[in-house]
């Protein structure tokens, strides 16, 4: 018995010592700034982000921002779970078309009062800024970067097939896709992503709008013609049927490996392109070919302060710092993105001098936003499912579009896309 | 007094397990059950006034053609996987229970497929079943079984077959392992005396091996069913349930409803359907074990 008592005493004493040490440490922390967690899914851009964070942490002693990488899908899941459980980071990154859903799920706090007096707000482009707003126009975050889609062309393959210039219209595009397809070397005329997630929808939207249709007019002849164009490419073997399992990175890999003559490519892909192609061939960017009009689609990420943040104002101060004209310009140059404010774009001639970026800067004029709509995920699923069904021949383009419209139209009738009127 | 304390003691020992079950399994299960009777979605999560709708979610599920497809996929996937895993696993078990050189090490090597993380296997499967550059198509073309590539993962009619094939590859070693241990428990002298009585190989298998293997066979089938029925990671990585839900099973569909469409109650109802199917099988298995212990 005594032995047990002795053991009991020693454990108690040890515990007390540990508690004392803990107390000393926590006192120490008390004097330090409040730690603020920031979750993001930047990969090659992470270094640029860490630099902005380090600058901000050195500049003030109110909060200390600690960035953490969480994979994109995992992060989205965490927001959904956090909407119910409340377990959220203080600041979080989000893909712009998903922001409306998370605002509806009450993940991101209303920061209107901290930004409406901010002079810089007027410089933000409408499209990206709208994606942070809810139906009532309250602001829940700030856009961080923009990107859009353009056509990337392997000039070596085109020249070998007898074309000196990239296509500008659907007809030219189709003709070149046909002429550059070379089954014996497994080279396809065109490569894109039609995968069953948001990426698939993102890549289809430009074709839809280029036909002169929109998400709310999927049963129109124009909308059907856009899906017919892509379906014919697969039917004739000018585009691999496997695009329905390809994310944008897979389609990009096929292009840099010289297995595709043309690619529907995003701004962010410029950052790694020269290294990946390694001078194997000449390439050129151009606008996506024109049906009735030129079209592209806006992508990009926003940062929001979540409802779990202990000091929303201080956190908002950080995202404002991140998005000052100068920081936004610096950041986007390193990360290979487009700035979200007009005065940032003017700070550097980077986006106009580099002819690749110049194409994207031009494409932004024709780029449409997805949503914002709280039920965008359901709309998006209907769209990519229609594209997949048509591409693999499960449905005719017409039937596929009709089925998608049957899902989308009632949703849009109830809540129209914000800012569309 | 002492007897009463003894009786009490039993409960004390059971208490940690009971608390664990209630906290870790009971709470989420009941929460999920309640959720499946509500109408919680993206529009009312914030206001918190999701109304009770009774069985409406279940009704909607069972009349939905997509859900019917998913239910069918789940059963085809489970039964298809079990039939091939079990048959091939059993044949391999019989083969490796023969005492020949290197039987042990080779059997051990076969287990690698089982030990590999499913994410890795799924990625391998995705590449092996590629249309233009996949190994399977290449082999079949070279051996002359097919004249043009099979569309495997990009066709709604073949995608599930490819996923089942990969799942069999994972499951065969597990079946083999359990069945081998069953086989080694059958005493050799039973076979010897049967041989003396003039039983041929088939009779020995049918009248000795099969009856004596019954517990092992039931265990491997039951566990296999439960394990396969709730599959998620394999299709999630190989096909994401596509193309067009053709490889979606209850697990992936519940995930999609809750996490990409924010239809939380529908997701919960799908989860409950999955749970109920497994509960039936689980109870059946428990009864079976209890029957054997008596």
């Amino acid at each position: 018995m005594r032995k047990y008592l002795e053991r009991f005493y020693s454990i108690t004493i040890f515990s007390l010592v540990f508690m004392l040490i803990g107390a000393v440490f926590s006192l120490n922390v008390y004097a330090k700034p409040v730690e603020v967690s920031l979750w993001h899914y930047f990969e090659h851009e992470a270094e640029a982000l860490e630099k902005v964070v380090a600058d901000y942490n050195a500049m003030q002693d109110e909060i200390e921002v600690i960035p953490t990488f969480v994979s994109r899908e995992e992060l989205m899941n965490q927001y959904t779970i956090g909407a119910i459980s409340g377990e959220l980071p203080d600041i979080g990154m989000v893909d712009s078309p998903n922001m409306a859903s998370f605002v509806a799920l009450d993940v991101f706090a209303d920061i209107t009062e901290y930004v409406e007096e901010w002079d810089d707000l007027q410089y933000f482009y409408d499209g990206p800024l709208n994606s942070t707003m809810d139906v009532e126009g309250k602001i829940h975050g700030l856009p961080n970067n923009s990107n859009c889609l353009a056509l990337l062309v392997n000039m070596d393959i085109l020249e070998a097939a007898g074309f000196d210039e990239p296509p500008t219209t659907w007809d030219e595009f189709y003709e070149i896709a046909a002429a550059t397809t070379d089954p014996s070397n497994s080279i396809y005329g065109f490569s894109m992503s039609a995968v069953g997630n948001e990426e698939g929808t993102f890549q289809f939207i430009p074709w839809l709008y280029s036909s002169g249709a929109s998400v709310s007019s999927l049963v129109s002849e124009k909308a059907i013609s856009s899906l017919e164009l892509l379906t014919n490419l697969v039917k004739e073997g000018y585009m691999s049927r496997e695009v329905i399992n390809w994310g944008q990175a897979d389609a990009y890999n096929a292009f840099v490996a010289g297995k595709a003559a043309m690619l529907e490519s995003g701004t962010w892909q410029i950052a790694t392109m020269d290294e990946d192609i390694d001078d194997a061939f000449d390439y050129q960017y151009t606008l996506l070919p024109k049906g009735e009009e030129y079209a592209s689609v806006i992508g990009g990420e926003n940062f929001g302060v979540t409802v779990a943040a202990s000091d929303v104002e201080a956190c908002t101060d950080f995202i404002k710092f991140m998005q000052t004209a100068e920081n936004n310009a610096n950041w986007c140059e390193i990360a290979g993105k487009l700035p979200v404010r007009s005065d940032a774009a003017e700070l550097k001639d980077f986006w106009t001098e580099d002819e690749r970026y110049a194409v994207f800067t031009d494409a932004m004029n024709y780029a449409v936003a997805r949503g914002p709509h709280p039920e965008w995920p359901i709309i998006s699923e209907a769209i990519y499912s229609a594209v997949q069904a048509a591409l693999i021949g499960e449905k005719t383009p017409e039937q596929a579009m009709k089925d998608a419209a049957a899902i989308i139209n009632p949703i849009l009738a109830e809540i129209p896309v914000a800012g569309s009127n | 007094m002492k007897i009463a304390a003894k009786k009490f003691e039993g409960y004390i020992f059971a208490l940690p397990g009971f608390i664990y079950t209630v906290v870790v399994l009971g709470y989420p299960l009941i929460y999920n059950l309640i959720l499946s009777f509500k109408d919680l979605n993206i529009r009312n999560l914030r206001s918190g006034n999701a109304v009770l709708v009774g069985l409406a979610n279940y009704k909607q599920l069972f009349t939905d053609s997509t859900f019917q497809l998913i239910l069918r996929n789940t059963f085809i996937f489970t039964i298809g996987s079990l039939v091939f895993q079990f048959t091939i696993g059993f044949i391999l078990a019989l083969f490796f229970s023969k005492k020949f050189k290197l039987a042990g090490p080779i059997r051990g090597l076969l287990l690698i497929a089982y030990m590999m993380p499913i994410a890795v296997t799924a990625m391998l499967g995705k590449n092996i079943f590629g249309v233009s550059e996949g190994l399977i198509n290449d082999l079949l073309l070279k051996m002359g079984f097919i004249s043009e590539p099979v569309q495997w993962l990009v066709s709604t009619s073949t995608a599930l077959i490819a996923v089942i094939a990969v799942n069999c590859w994972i499951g065969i070693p597990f079946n083999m392992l359990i069945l081998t241990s069953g086989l080694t428990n059958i005493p050799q002298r039973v076979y010897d005396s049967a041989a003396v009585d003039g039983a041929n190989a088939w009779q020995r298998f049918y009248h000795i091996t099969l009856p004596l293997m019954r517990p092992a066979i039931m265990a491997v089938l039951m566990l296999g069913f439960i394990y396969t029925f709730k599959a998620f990671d394999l299709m999630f990585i190989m096909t994401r349930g596509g193309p067009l839900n053709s490889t979606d099973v209850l697990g992936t569909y519940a995930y999609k409803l809750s996490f990409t469409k924010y239809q939380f109650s529908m997701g919960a109802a799908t989860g409950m359907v999955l749970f109920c199917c497994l509960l039936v099988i689980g109870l059946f298995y428990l009864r079976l074990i209890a029957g054997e212990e008596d």
Side-chain angles (χ1 to χ4, degrees):
Chain A
M1 195 67 206
R2 241 190 90 182
K3 210 171 152 195
Y4 283 107
L5 265 182
E6 262 170 29
R7 195 169 286 175
F8 175 74
Y9 284 137
S10 57
I11 287 173
T12 315
I13 289 165
F14 263 115
S15 319
L16 280 175
V17 170
F18 270 114
M19 276 152 93
L20 206 69
I21 294 171
V24 170
F25 266 98
S26 59
L27 274 178
N28 215 2
V29 166
Y30 202 66
K32 278 187 186 163
V34 183
E35 292 185 353
V36 162
S37 57
L38 177 149
W39 289 1
H40 68 93
Y41 57 83
F42 282 134
E43 287 170 14
H44 72 266
E45 310 94 326
E47 219 170 295
L49 174 73
E50 272 154 24
K51 195 182 167 296
V52 178
V53 169
D55 287 349
Y56 185 74
N57 286 342
M59 199 182 86
Q60 47 77 52
D61 49 15
E62 204 172 325
I63 59 172
E64 190 187 356
V65 181
I66 300 166
T68 308
F69 173 83
V70 183
S71 83
R72 175 200 179 107
E73 187 148 5
E74 183 54 27
L75 187 54
M76 299 305 132
N77 289 350
Q78 287 301 326
Y79 291 146
T80 315
I81 297 166
I84 295 169
S85 73
E87 294 277 324
L88 291 165
D90 297 289
I91 300 170
M93 165 172 161
V94 61
D95 197 4
S96 55
N98 292 125
M99 182 111 185
S101 299
F102 292 124
V103 168
L105 287 172
D106 213 8
V107 168
F108 292 105
D110 179 358
I111 58 166
T112 315
E113 58 175 311
Y114 307 119
V115 292
E116 63 189 349
E117 304 281 301
W118 191 35
D119 248 0
D120 292 28
L121 203 62
Q122 56 180 310
Y123 297 111
F124 281 81
Y125 292 124
D126 283 346
L129 190 61
N130 279 344
S131 72
T132 69
M133 293 183 191
D134 60 17
V135 196
E136 289 147 28
K138 300 268 185 219
I139 297 172
H140 291 260
L142 288 176
N144 166 263
N145 68 76
S146 276
N147 57 62
C148 60
L149 294 175
L151 188 73
L152 176 59
V153 179
N154 181 326
M155 288 312 288
D156 287 12
I157 298 183
L158 252 68
E159 275 158 22
F163 298 93
D164 298 332
E165 292 292 323
T168 53
T169 64
W170 280 10
D171 289 341
E172 286 173 27
F173 166 72
Y174 194 82
E175 192 191 336
I176 294 180
T180 50
T181 299
D182 176 7
S184 57
N185 290 315
S186 51
I187 293 172
Y188 289 97
F190 181 56
S191 171
M192 66 183 284
S193 159
V195 71
N197 63 34
E198 184 61 36
E199 287 185 59
T201 302
F202 181 62
Q203 291 243 315
F204 176 66
I205 291 278
W207 302 97
L208 177 68
Y209 280 77
S210 177
S211 75
S214 76
V215 173
S216 54
S217 62
L218 291 182
V219 278
S220 66
E221 212 136 283
K222 290 173 179 171
I224 295 166
S225 75
S226 66
L227 189 50
E228 263 165 1
L229 174 74
L230 301 179
T231 308
N232 288 340
L233 288 174
V234 173
K235 225 185 254 168
E236 298 296 327
Y238 307 151
M239 176 160 78
S240 169
R241 198 172 145 132
E242 288 184 85
V243 296
I244 67 153
N245 280 337
W246 283 2
Q248 296 182 97
D250 301 309
Y252 166 84
N253 286 339
F255 180 86
V256 296
K259 296 290 178 193
M262 297 182 281
L263 172 76
E264 188 174 352
S265 167
T267 322
W268 66 94
Q269 291 174 333
I270 298 177
T272 49
M273 188 156 295
D274 282 333
E275 199 180 315
D276 290 342
I277 294 178
D278 200 18
D279 283 328
F281 54 82
D282 275 339
Y283 65 86
Q284 190 180 324
Y285 268 108
T286 187
L287 293 176
L288 282 164
K290 176 177 170 175
E292 191 158 286
E293 51 206 76
Y294 283 117
S296 186
V297 59
I298 301 180
E301 280 87 21
N302 301 337
F303 276 85
V305 181
T306 75
V307 291
S310 51
D311 188 344
V312 174
E313 190 174 1
C315 291
T316 306
D317 189 58
F318 169 72
I319 60 173
K320 279 153 86 176
F321 171 79
M322 225 176 138
Q323 299 313 130
T324 58
E326 201 193 336
N327 281 338
N328 190 224
N330 286 337
W331 151 264
C332 288
E333 180 173 8
I334 302 171
K337 314 258 172 164
L338 301 174
V340 287
R341 39 190 295 174
S342 55
D343 54 344
E346 283 157 15
L347 278 180
K348 293 177 189 253
D349 44 23
F350 175 67
W351 293 282
T352 44
E353 286 288 293
D354 186 325
E355 54 189 41
R356 300 173 300 176
Y357 282 100
V359 171
F360 283 104
T361 308
D362 186 19
M364 277 309 263
N365 296 321
Y366 309 102
V368 296
R370 289 158 290 160
H373 195 288
E375 297 202 53
W376 179 258
I378 296 178
I379 297 172
S380 173
E381 190 203 28
I383 294 174
Y384 68 66
S385 299
V387 175
Q388 293 203 318
L391 292 192
I392 63 174
E394 196 77 11
K395 291 177 189 169
T396 63
E398 190 181 354
Q399 189 59 44
M401 283 310 213
K402 268 188 189 153
D403 292 350
I407 298 171
I408 294 171
N409 290 352
I411 296 175
L412 292 181
E414 203 168 327
I415 309 174
V417 171
S420 67
N421 36 6
Chain B
M1 184 65 202
K2 207 159 187 189
I3 295 166
K6 259 258 155 41
K7 208 172 171 188
F8 195 58
E9 198 179 65
Y11 286 108
I12 299 261
F13 278 121
L15 197 62
F18 180 72
I19 292 174
Y20 177 82
T21 314
V22 168
V23 173
V24 179
L25 296 171
Y27 175 74
L29 195 64
I30 288 166
Y31 182 84
N32 197 56
L33 184 70
I34 295 170
L35 197 59
S36 76
F37 292 130
K38 281 185 176 174
D39 177 29
L40 187 71
N41 56 43
I42 191 164
R43 292 189 204 172
N44 57 25
L45 180 81
R46 193 173 182 175
S47 58
N49 52 7
V51 287
L52 278 170
V53 292
L55 290 170
N57 291 323
Y58 292 94
K59 237 179 242 166
Q60 198 187 328
L61 274 184
F62 282 101
T63 49
D64 178 25
S65 62
T66 310
F67 184 75
Q68 286 163 7
L69 173 74
I70 272 123
L71 212 52
R72 218 188 72 198
N73 287 344
T74 313
F75 278 99
I76 293 177
F77 174 73
T78 309
I79 293 167
S81 296
L82 280 191
V83 167
F84 289 105
Q85 283 176 6
F86 177 75
T87 320
I88 301 172
F90 206 164
I91 293 171
L92 286 178
L94 287 170
F95 181 70
F96 283 109
S97 65
K98 298 272 168 279
K99 290 178 179 55
F100 58 89
K101 242 189 185 167
L102 292 178
I106 295 173
R107 204 171 56 197
L109 280 177
L110 281 175
L111 269 177
I112 288 177
Y114 182 64
M115 292 188 295
M116 201 127 64
I118 293 187
V120 176
T121 315
M123 289 304 289
L124 280 176
K126 196 175 169 179
N127 291 326
I128 288 173
F129 281 100
V131 177
S132 54
E133 275 154 19
L135 181 71
I136 303 272
N137 271 348
D138 203 40
L139 276 179
L140 291 178
L141 280 170
K142 282 189 178 136
M143 291 194 291
F145 286 118
I146 50 172
S147 56
E148 54 181 79
V150 180
Q151 298 291 336
W152 293 122
L153 299 176
V154 291
S155 158
T156 50
S157 51
T158 49
L160 193 58
I161 299 174
V163 178
I164 290 175
V166 174
N167 192 46
C168 285
W169 189 69
I170 303 168
I172 287 169
F174 171 73
N175 280 257
M176 185 191 73
L177 190 73
I178 306 257
L179 294 171
T180 309
S181 70
L183 283 173
T184 49
N185 283 337
I186 303 176
Q188 184 60 34
R189 56 192 156 77
V190 185
Y191 287 110
D192 292 343
S193 57
V196 169
D197 289 341
N200 64 25
W202 168 248
Q203 283 170 327
R204 277 187 309 231
F205 173 75
Y206 191 77
H207 293 289
I208 299 173
T209 311
L210 271 189
L212 287 176
M213 283 287 285
R214 207 176 143 259
I217 290 172
M218 290 317 280
V220 83
L221 285 181
M222 290 296 160
L223 293 175
F225 189 95
I226 293 170
Y227 186 76
T228 316
F229 200 79
K230 63 183 176 69
F232 174 83
D233 32 13
L234 184 61
M235 33 279 278
F236 194 72
I237 293 166
M238 241 178 109
T239 60
R240 303 232 130 214
L244 299 174
N245 302 107
S246 61
T247 55
D248 257 327
V249 289
L250 287 170
T252 55
Y253 193 59
Y255 174 89
K256 280 187 183 172
L257 285 172
S258 297
F259 282 102
T260 65
K261 297 168 87 174
Y262 310 119
Q263 295 172 330
F264 302 109
S265 288
M266 296 292 279
T270 309
M272 286 314 293
V273 173
L274 174 63
F275 173 73
C276 289
C277 292
L278 290 179
L279 187 68
V280 171
I281 297 289
L283 290 176
F284 189 66
Y285 179 58
L286 284 180
R287 250 192 79 177
L288 209 81
I289 293 181
E292 263 150 25
E293 279 172 358
D294 285 346

